[in-house]
Amino acid sequence: MKSESVRPTVPKCTFCENPAIVYRKEVNHHLCKTHFIADVELRVISNIEKKTLISDGDRIAIALSGGKDSTALLLLLYRLLPCWNDVHLIAITIDEGIAGYRVETIRSAQRLAHQFDIEHRIISFDDIYGNTLDSLLRGKESQACSICGILRKKALDKGARDVGATKLATGHNLDDEAQSALMNVLRDDLPRLVRNSSTMKSPYFIPRIKPLSDLSEKDIATYLLIQDAWTDLPECPYTHNALRREVRSMLSDLEYRYPGTMLRIMDSKRKIEHYLSGIEITEPLRHCKECGDPSSGEVCQVCLIKRSFSH
Amino acid sequence: MKVVLPDKNIKTIDFTSVSIEQILLDLGINPLEVIVSRNGTLVSEDMIVGNDDEIQIIRIAHGG
């Protein structure tokens, strides 16, 4: 690496004289700690308002894994509560039963719920499916994320229904959303690409909202770190097996070289949703013939997974 | 300059001054996947740092 004779310099905040801690390339803003926090909170409230994600009187179940995204979600929604009348938060944690990973994050979730004095429910795969994810996945580790995703979704829906929630909030960030959109394209899965779970008008599902979907993973980590809310937790051991890992790495590289890539992917997804609005591209919902839950096929995905386990 | 890597290993780099972004790129790290502090304070990656500085690189865990 080559030496240069430039003196050390600290960039200043675009909006004040304080030193910048973040440079947002996509808008060409340097932000100090105070202005970065304000910027993050403004982007979240704008996202919520733009998509009407929260209404007065909502009872919001927060999917609180205890990891960084759900921690930020809890922190932000708690702070923004005064924006609405009579909105109530409840935390739901799913214990999939992943050795060496989930115990620590559950402890973190419990600490948070206690700190903010929020009702907290923990639901385990063992209770619902009779076994831990680790046991269920033996020999199927390469499908870990898709199997876990389906089982978690049902567990969260059950938890949200049990507490009488009107909305289920998850901590999905911009990186997650852009990765999912691209993965759905790679899998040629148009129904999933255009599915918008926050506006689903089905009596079977509690609308899922993603208030952090305009924030990058780095925004969220920075937001937590500068407020001493960052806990260095392990990553899920199964992420190494997923297609998502490759898509994440590719998108992250593209986002660095072409800032705004992820936002443009989400804009394209919204345009496709708009062009296809009113066109029925999914099977109408019916009841699973095995468990009775809503399903797009004769048998729901959870029951299909259970069948594969029994084989 | 002392650089604490995400795995806590320490690397010493000899520089008069360089941007944090350039240090990360030279180490093969995508700046979007880490947070960097200089002498214990979070800083933006376009900051120019000197040989007396200590840089810590924190990898952002995925998921959660």
Side-chain angles (χ1 to χ4, degrees), chain A residues 1-2 4 6 8-11 21 25 30 65 67-70 217-218 221-222 226 235 248 252-253 255-256, chain B residues 13-17 21 25-26 30-35 42-48 50 60-64:
Chain A
M1 290 190 267
K2 205 175 88 184
E4 293 168 21
V6 184
T9 54
V10 184
I21 58 154
K25 252 185 193 173
H30 281 94
S65 69
K68 70 175 191 316
D69 300 316
S70 60
E217 193 157 51
K218 182 161 176 160
T222 306
I226 58 179
E235 268 185 32
R248 176 192 295 137
S252 178
D253 182 46
E255 179 67 38
Y256 175 67
Chain B
I13 304 174
D14 191 22
F15 266 118
T16 308
S17 63
E21 185 172 13
L25 294 177
D26 288 343
N30 181 339
L32 297 182
E33 296 179 0
V34 294
I35 292 175
L42 206 64
V43 285
S44 67
E45 283 87 27
D46 56 341
M47 180 182 182
I48 307 292
I60 303 167
H62 304 299

Side-chain angles (χ1 to χ4, degrees), chain B residues 6-62:
Chain B
D7 61 6
K8 309 288 184 217
N9 279 325
I10 294 171
K11 195 175 171 94
T12 306
I13 304 174
D14 191 22
F15 266 118
T16 308
S17 63
V18 65
S19 75
I20 287 175
E21 185 172 13
Q22 192 56 52
I23 294 175
L24 294 174
L25 294 177
D26 288 343
L27 290 169
I29 296 172
N30 181 339
L32 297 182
E33 296 179 0
V34 294
I35 292 175
V36 180
S37 71
R38 168 194 170 244
N39 305 329
T41 305
L42 206 64
V43 285
S44 67
E45 283 87 27
D46 56 341
M47 180 182 182
I48 307 292
V49 288
N51 232 353
D52 297 335
D53 289 321
E54 180 179 316
I55 303 301
Q56 180 167 8
I57 305 169
I58 303 158
R59 191 170 289 282
I60 303 167
H62 304 299

Side-chain angles (χ1 to χ4, degrees), chain A residues 18-188:
Chain A
N18 288 326
I21 58 154
V22 166
Y23 175 49
R24 287 193 61 208
K25 252 185 193 173
E26 66 277 24
V27 287
N28 192 24
H29 284 167
H30 281 94
L31 298 170
C32 66
K33 179 179 167 179
T34 307
H35 282 105
F36 177 71
I37 291 172
D39 177 73
V40 164
E41 294 179 357
L42 184 65
R43 279 190 279 156
V44 172
I45 195 76
S46 301
N47 190 33
I48 292 172
E49 284 180 351
K50 187 173 63 188
K51 300 172 185 164
T52 327
L53 300 181
I54 297 176
S55 309
D56 291 344
D58 263 338
R59 192 170 163 81
I60 302 173
I62 298 178
L64 180 68
S65 69
K68 70 175 191 316
D69 300 316
S70 60
T71 298
L73 177 66
L74 177 63
L75 212 73
L76 279 155
L77 287 186
Y78 187 83
R79 284 199 184 149
L80 298 174
L81 269 183
C83 296
W84 306 278
N85 294 316
D86 196 27
V87 168
H88 191 77
L89 304 178
I90 313 125
I92 297 176
T93 300
I94 305 299
D95 178 5
E96 304 91 345
I98 304 174
Y101 169 64
R102 198 40 101 201
V103 174
E104 265 190 77
T105 62
I106 287 178
R107 219 174 280 143
S108 173
Q110 286 171 318
R111 267 198 308 270
L112 276 168
H114 179 72
Q115 182 188 341
F116 290 94
D117 194 22
I118 287 173
E119 182 186 341
H120 186 208
R121 301 268 181 106
I122 300 176
I123 298 169
S124 74
F125 273 19
D126 207 6
D127 290 339
I128 302 183
Y129 306 115
N131 226 327
T132 63
L133 184 70
D134 284 343
S135 305
L136 293 170
L137 282 180
R138 247 167 237 144
K140 296 187 177 66
E141 287 82 359
S142 62
Q143 304 166 55
C145 291
S146 50
I147 290 176
C148 181
I150 292 164
L151 299 180
R152 266 176 64 80
K153 184 176 183 299
K154 180 161 178 163
L156 275 172
D157 279 337
K158 179 186 172 351
R161 266 197 310 271
D162 287 351
V163 297
T166 55
K167 302 275 169 63
L168 174 58
T170 63
H172 289 91
N173 58 48
L174 176 62
D175 297 52
D176 297 328
E177 293 296 279
Q179 288 157 19
S180 295
L182 189 54
M183 284 165 71
N184 287 328
V185 171
L186 294 174
R187 289 170 172 152
D188 187 25

